[in-house]
Amino acid sequence: QVQLVESGGGLVQAGGSLRLSCAASGRTFSTYAMGWFRQAPGKERQFVASITWGVGTIYLADSVKGRFTISRDNAKNTVYLQMNSLKPEDTAVYYCAAGPTIAVNRGRPDYWGQGTQVTVSS
């Protein structure tokens, strides 16, 4: 079993930056990718970004390309989401996810974090 713990959420002004972290523990050998999803009130959870543990292939949602980047620290089993040029529409609960690459990218990861609130003020 894998546990995911997010950190770094908070309140930021539009145009600002924020970095989220997600640390994985447990049987992480079964997870081949980690990523981030977000869900705003009344909306469906949407894919944001993911990265594989193998060669580090990165996948980004079109809505965040050019603004967000995802990275990893293999030794720490930790992924980061660097969010720049934040907009009010980025406001959501951000969830860390882990599992097989295809499953994560299809929105069906094996594991979810508890979520961390990101609020972007205008």
Side-chain angles (χ1 to χ4, degrees):
Q1 192 170 355
V2 175
Q3 291 183 329
L4 305 174
V5 179
E6 301 106 326
S7 62
L11 176 65
V12 65
Q13 195 172 35
S17 299
L18 202 63
R19 189 181 76 158
L20 305 182
S21 299
C22 177
S25 62
R27 293 191 172 189
T28 56
F29 64 85
S30 63
T31 63
Y32 302 100
M34 292 180 65
W36 294 92
F37 291 76
R38 66 186 183 185
Q39 187 168 26
K43 297 183 179 180
E44 294 184 359
R45 189 171 299 185
Q46 65 177 170
F47 172 82
V48 176
S50 68
I51 187 168
T52 69
W53 289 112
V55 298
T57 302
I58 292 173
Y59 304 87
L60 294 171
D62 289 340
S63 61
V64 303
K65 287 182 178 178
R67 299 190 299 121
F68 293 9
T69 59
I70 187 170
S71 61
R72 65 179 183 179
D73 185 329
N74 292 41
K76 297 181 179 180
N77 284 328
T78 299
V79 296
Y80 306 92
L81 183 67
Q82 180 66 48
M83 304 184 292
N84 300 322
S85 301
L86 283 163
K87 305 174 182 179
E89 48 263 46
D90 294 318
T91 296
V93 176
Y94 283 70
Y95 296 91
C96 183
T101 303
I102 294 176
V104 170
N105 290 346
R106 289 179 176 176
R108 296 182 178 181
D110 290 344
Y111 303 97
W112 291 102
Q114 80 285 353
T116 185
Q117 178 70 46
V118 172
T119 302
V120 184
S121 64
S122 60

